[in-house]
Amino acid sequence: MGGAMAMTLVALAYPGMLGLSKVSTAQDRVIANTQWGPLTEQDRDFVVKVRAAGLWEYPVGQIGLQKGTTPAVITASKHLVDGHAALDTTCRKIAPLLNITLPDLPSPQQQGFVSQLKADSGKKFDSDFANILRMTHGSIFNTISKIRSTTKNSLVRALADQANDTVLDHMTVMEKTGLVDFDQTIFQQTTPPKLPDSDLTPPPPAAGQPEVVLTPPPNATSTPVDINGLTGNSNGGTGASPGASPSPTVG
């Protein structure tokens, strides 16, 4: 009985057990009732998606700072590092409050993007960088809009507000490189390949390993959500106050 209950809680907390990309009528199913509003499957999956996006786009931004051959690509790289560090801070603050387990690695597909850009050089890097990042940001932009307009959870709503501003900024700086092939990127954005869930879902974090932290750059301009202002918590928003833990529900 104890083992079955543990597996149920893990499945609720981590969408990898269900498949992040799965289209399901259960996406609006409430999996936890919290003091910040009900948490649905799609709310939880959104927090994980934002975290996973940062886990590959932040290092790609660092790669771009080294490999980019134009000022516009360098600028776009700085925006990636800055924006995703701030989003990551917000994710790591709200996740424990909502009992959401965050990944420490991106999905296999996202890891493939990093490998491709690591192998590129020169103008090929600049072009692939701008088009891959414009395509992926364009893909999640619609998801952000849906979450922002439907979630009843104030912490998820605040993350969606921040993600909307960040993703719009990143789409814009990619376009300003002058390298985006809009026909190609919009086609890929709207007709993604039919990959198995295992390629699209970040793996669960390894037990006992420290949480990966995306460190803000010294000259950071993006700021995380003020969790204290939303929770009234004086401990920095890294943990729930007594009695504040969400209550997972099954059914």
Side-chain angles (χ1 to χ4, degrees):
M1 177 70 72
M5 178 60 73
M7 284 301 296
T8 299
L9 292 176
V10 170
L12 287 172
Y14 197 77
M17 302 297 178
L18 304 175
L20 253 180
S21 68
K22 184 173 68 174
V23 177
S24 168
T25 55
Q27 282 290 289
D28 59 354
R29 179 172 69 95
V30 175
I31 59 174
N33 290 299
T34 82
Q35 68 186 72
W36 303 283
L39 184 77
T40 65
E41 286 191 12
Q42 62 187 2
D43 291 337
R44 175 208 54 203
D45 291 0
F46 174 68
V47 177
V48 172
K49 284 180 179 179
V50 173
R51 163 71 168 179
L55 289 172
W56 78 273
E57 292 174 12
Y58 178 97
V60 162
Q62 293 178 315
I63 294 169
L65 291 174
Q66 299 174 351
K67 287 190 172 186
T69 69
T70 71
V73 170
I74 298 297
T75 296
S77 299
K78 291 178 180 178
H79 280 238
L80 285 180
V81 172
D82 185 78
H84 281 292
L87 279 174
D88 186 69
T89 297
T90 301
C91 285
R92 288 185 294 102
K93 284 185 175 181
I94 71 173
L97 298 177
L98 299 175
N99 199 29
I100 296 174
T101 301
L102 295 177
D104 281 325
L105 289 172
S107 72
Q109 182 196 42
Q110 293 167 335
Q111 293 179 46
F113 292 146
V114 176
S115 296
Q116 179 178 347
L117 292 169
K118 281 184 175 179
D120 283 347
S121 61
K123 298 298 183 183
K124 180 72 161 57
F125 172 84
D126 292 344
S127 178
D128 285 349
F129 172 89
N131 283 280
I132 290 174
L133 272 300
R134 173 57 177 80
M135 181 268 292
T136 55
H137 281 87
S139 296
I140 199 172
F141 196 56
N142 292 329
T143 300
I144 295 169
S145 175
K146 178 181 179 182
I147 293 294
R148 180 59 181 84
S149 64
T150 61
T151 185
K152 299 177 182 179
N153 189 283
S154 60
L155 296 184
V156 175
R157 191 156 52 243
L159 176 63
D161 282 340
Q162 182 187 357
N164 183 77
D165 292 342
T166 302
V167 171
L168 179 57
D169 172 68
H170 291 177
M171 290 171 62
T172 301
V173 292
M174 294 305 157
E175 292 163 357
K176 286 183 177 180
T177 65
L179 300 171
V180 174
D181 180 335
F182 285 95
D183 289 338
Q184 176 186 354
T185 56
I186 293 175
F187 175 79
Q188 293 176 335
Q189 175 184 314
T190 55
T191 55
K194 302 298 182 182
L195 298 175
D197 288 343
S198 58
D199 284 355
L200 302 173
T201 305
Q209 295 298 309
E211 184 178 58
V212 172
V213 175
L214 305 184
T215 306
N219 56 345
T221 58
S222 298
T223 56
V225 169
D226 179 12
I227 300 300
N228 290 342
L230 292 173
T231 65
N233 201 356
S234 61
N235 66 356
T238 56
S241 57
S245 299
S247 302
T249 58
V250 179

